[in-house]
Amino acid sequence: MRDSGIERGAAAPRFRYGAPAVTVAAGRPAARWACGGTTLDLAVPRVMGVVNVTPDSFFDGGRFFDRGRALDHARALRADGADVIDIGGESTRPGAHPVSTAEELARILPLVDALASEGVLVSVDTMKPEVMREAVAAGAAIVNDVRALRESRALAAVAATGAGVCLMHMQGEPRTMQADPVYGDVVREVREFLVERATACVAAGIARERIAIDPGIGFGKTVAHNLALLRQLGDLAATGYPVLVGVSRKSTIGALTGQAAPDRLAGSVAAALAAVARGARIVRAHDVRATVDALRVWLAIEESDA
């Protein structure tokens, strides 16, 4: 299995996509993300592979609803170069309806346990505090929350663990978020929201080095809003928190290319590279191999004169 760049002690090797490590912005040292007993080295951008154990996710809903197929897919993504496997048991696509805590746990816990036991860095994509607690107890190292720990008891649930957390911006909630999203200044408002949530995390006992932020591309935003956020990701990177971006296969790619979700690979990879060029340290992707290869080539070109 390819080395992921995950460090579990000073002697652990670092995977650099075949190119020298790069720094984030203007001479600042490259970031690291503390995730439980693991530190993810962000000297180069990392890829988070998506596994949706749902019947209704916008791109791969139903394809990996079977537990065995989901586990095989997660292992394949890891072999393709994913540094993190992000497991979701509840769809957050526009118009999605919630599932019960018991159903979400039944969908994800067997995968979390199996993958964590194999040494995979596992992220759980959930809004529910009980799911967060149970998933971390089963071996998840990251909580990836589209509501940025705003649910009652979510802050306490994560603070009680050593897990890393990704705080995402979402205007509204999944069922209605795309009805008519409006901002005065989307970049400023998203940045202020994420800094406020990160501050609340620190106040609740979650160490700063455990926190990453995500602008929430497609979550209560128009195409114009999404493009503005991607174009000005440097404003988010300047906060000092690692920036995670998930734009893979989303409707914005479809709006720009005219392609349906199955045909948005090229657009998704282009958006991932543009995000990394502007400061993203982690990209969340369905198509891990293509994204890893694109990053390897891009980094080699960027560092060719170093």
Side-chain angles (χ1 to χ4, degrees):
M1 185 176 293
R2 190 184 311 181
D3 178 59
S4 68
I6 298 167
E7 296 190 351
R8 293 182 176 83
R14 292 169 57 190
F15 175 49
R16 297 187 175 185
Y17 294 107
V22 295
T23 56
V24 183
R28 289 211 307 265
R32 295 169 185 266
W33 190 11
C35 306
T38 296
T39 297
L40 186 61
D41 184 356
L42 302 178
V44 293
R46 299 295 170 187
V47 177
M48 174 183 278
V50 181
V51 178
N52 288 315
V53 196
T54 61
D56 57 346
S57 291
F58 82 96
F59 173 58
D60 55 1
R63 292 175 60 193
F64 307 111
F65 197 44
D66 175 81
R67 186 178 302 169
R69 291 183 66 188
L71 186 56
D72 287 345
H73 182 58
R75 288 169 174 156
L77 294 180
R78 181 70 179 86
D80 284 344
D83 302 288
V84 183
I85 299 297
D86 190 45
I87 301 172
E90 178 178 22
S91 176
T92 52
R93 63 175 174 78
H97 292 276
V99 301
S100 70
T101 297
E103 175 64 19
E104 188 175 349
L105 286 169
R107 292 175 180 180
I108 70 168
L109 284 185
L111 295 178
V112 172
D113 181 68
L115 292 170
S117 69
E118 296 173 9
V120 176
L121 188 64
V122 176
S123 167
V124 59
D125 182 357
T126 186
M127 301 177 276
K128 297 184 179 74
E130 185 175 343
V131 175
M132 296 172 189
R133 286 192 295 269
E134 294 286 339
V136 173
I142 298 167
V143 171
N144 184 14
D145 184 7
V146 299
R147 287 190 52 77
L149 302 186
R150 285 181 288 162
E151 291 291 336
S152 176
R153 301 187 303 279
L155 278 168
V158 174
T161 74
V165 62
C166 182
L167 307 170
M168 199 195 80
H169 177 276
M170 174 174 62
Q171 187 179 92
E173 50 91 20
R175 282 180 293 176
T176 60
M177 63 187 178
Q178 290 302 106
D180 185 26
V182 176
Y183 299 85
D185 181 334
V186 66
V187 177
R188 177 181 58 79
E189 291 172 42
V190 168
R191 183 183 189 277
E192 289 178 353
F193 169 85
L194 292 171
V195 169
E196 183 276 326
R197 293 310 301 157
T199 301
C201 285
V202 173
I206 301 171
R208 181 184 176 96
E209 58 268 23
R210 291 167 57 190
I211 301 169
I213 58 176
D214 179 348
I217 301 300
F219 282 78
K221 299 170 184 76
T222 65
V223 173
H225 295 146
N226 294 327
L227 291 175
L229 286 164
L230 289 168
R231 187 169 55 249
Q232 298 182 61
L233 275 180
D235 287 4
L236 297 184
T239 65
Y241 296 103
V243 175
L244 184 152
V245 169
V247 72
S248 175
R249 303 279 180 166
K250 288 186 175 178
S251 60
T252 288
I253 304 299
L256 295 173
T257 63
Q259 302 292 344
D263 299 312
R264 294 174 187 167
L265 171 58
S268 298
V269 172
L273 291 180
V276 167
R278 289 160 174 79
R281 293 289 89 193
I282 310 107
V283 290
R284 186 175 181 271
H286 297 87
D287 307 286
V288 168
R289 182 179 297 177
T291 305
V292 167
D293 285 351
L295 284 169
R296 182 179 288 115
V297 172
W298 182 82
L299 285 170
I301 293 167
E302 289 295 298
E303 295 293 312
S304 59
D305 293 329

